Amino acid sequence: MTRAPQKRRLETRAKLLEVAKAIVQEQGYSGLRVEDVVARAGVAKGTLFSHFKDKDGLLAVLIGDEVMRLLDGMEAGDPPQDADELTARLAPHLDYVGQDRVIFDLLLRYSGTTAAEPDEVVTAGFIRQVTLLTRWLQVLQTAGQIRQDQQPELLAEGIQAFLNHVLGVWFCMEHDDETPPARALAPYLQAWLQPAP
Amino acid sequence: MTRAPQKRRLETRAKLLEVAKAIVQEQGYSGLRVEDVVARAGVAKGTLFSHFKDKDGLLAVLIGDEVMRLLDGMEAGDPPQDADELTARLAPHLDYVGQDRVIFDLLLRYSGTTAAEPDEVVTAGFIRQVTLLTRWLQVLQTAGQIRQDQQPELLAEGIQAFLNHVLGVWFCMEHDDETPPARALAPYLQAWLQPAP
DNA sequence: TAGCTAAGTTGACCGCGGTCACTTTATTGA
DNA sequence: TCAATAAAGTGACCGCGGTCAACTTAGCTA
């Protein structure tokens, strides 16, 4: 059987995460180097990889935490009253993911399915997001604010698709003066959720 | 001014592409190593990087070619008569991209925008796909087969979003016995294109 | 044909993620 | 208290993409 981890191990893991967070703070996600993390944490490289499957595994924890924090903010308060309000609620998430390609890539790679076991932080966050969206959509359907001819689950996954779409487009251009993802999302959601007249 | 490339250069480039194609044939896209390519082509590593910006640049040519071939097949024949037929026409593309994550990643990274200059094969293929879709959708709208309350361009980009979505989900699970992307696409397109009653 | 210049090519070198046989440290049981 | 055993950590090493100053070759001119 598997024993409980020793205190030393927990401390090492915490130290690694703390250092990684600090580096991300200073240099952004794309500036994170494994060698820097272990150097500043005062451990060997192998140690990091005994705590996290690979670099993505470390990033997943950092990013997953942030996504969870964003979801907390999303969930707070009443559900959105209409499609526009729903769109607005998604803006913080788009802003966060839109800030660095690394985030987008990681989320896309590890969170595309609702089916997987939720041992990973990212997958858990993903499931939570879809669940929340589904709940909101159900409310909006009942209120007659959006189309009722489709399952809320399908509508929720469609929203996921549009979120990723606008982010993908966003990262494909030198985004200096272009429309930010949050703004680009509106027409898609409007067309997707529009009540069948 | 820039001179025309010498014959030797064109031969080297052709050789590199030929070898790369062969390796992909044998080992798949994810099995492609730059060192293998240059070894079998009988040139130095630096040469490859003087012909292609990076490994992705090489892959872009290979994949872009294939996408173009698929588009040729798509364009042949009459435009689809209804939404289901349109969905079916997209299946070869989904099958191709779904075969290897490398293809998906590359297409997603370099082809998300209609706006960029079409010097890249991938971007050109992307533009061609959106254009073709838009044309088809216009025909379907005129025929009253699909909703008419949205611009065909927006509908086309939405389809792009759903294509990527089902592919993303596809790559997030051990796809052994799961529903292939081409099948997963149908409900989304059905809901997206459904004529407003 | 010698000499010059730009085009084309080279391969040693680097950065960085990831591995694994080994050492060190903690825990357990007699 | 002292092996025996498992957990934790180490760092030399590897694979692979990408760089760049130096070298070779082709084309031009006098």
Side-chain angles (χ1 to χ4, degrees), chain A residues 10-72:
Chain A
L10 295 176
E11 288 165 356
T12 305
R13 183 188 155 99
K15 182 77 188 169
L16 284 169
L17 284 172
E18 173 201 324
V19 167
K21 251 175 200 149
I23 295 181
V24 166
Q25 193 76 15
E26 295 160 17
Q27 332 223 259
Y29 287 96
S30 19
L32 190 75
R33 316 269 146 239
V34 168
E35 307 215 341
D36 293 348
V37 176
V38 295
R40 275 172 63 168
V43 300
K45 213 193 260 186
T47 302
L48 188 146
F49 289 102
S50 89
H51 282 266
F52 307 96
K53 186 180 169 298
D54 50 21
K55 192 189 172 183
D56 273 5
L58 169 61
L59 279 170
V61 175
L62 301 178
I63 293 173
D65 276 3
E66 204 54 42
V67 168
M68 282 302 182
R69 197 187 322 280
L70 288 170
L71 280 167
D72 289 341

Side-chain angles (χ1 to χ4, degrees), chain A residues 101 104-105 108-109 111-113 147 149-150 154 157-158 160-162 165 169 172 187-188 190-192 194 196-197, chain B residues 101 104-105 108-109 111-113 147 149-150 154 157-158 160-162 165 169 172 187-188 190-192 194 196-197:
Chain A
R101 221 205 145 107
F104 178 61
D105 287 346
L108 202 67
R109 178 160 278 120
S111 65
T113 174
R147 68 196 293 185
D149 62 335
Q150 298 290 337
L154 185 86
E157 295 211 28
Q160 287 282 346
F162 290 123
H165 180 71
V169 171
C172 272
Y188 293 105
Q190 198 267 328
W192 179 236
Q194 189 174 62
Chain B
R101 220 204 149 108
F104 179 60
D105 286 346
L108 203 69
R109 179 160 276 122
S111 63
T113 174
R147 69 196 292 185
D149 62 334
Q150 298 290 337
L154 185 86
E157 294 211 28
Q160 288 281 347
F162 290 123
H165 180 70
V169 171
C172 272
Y188 293 106
Q190 198 267 328
W192 179 236
Q194 189 174 64

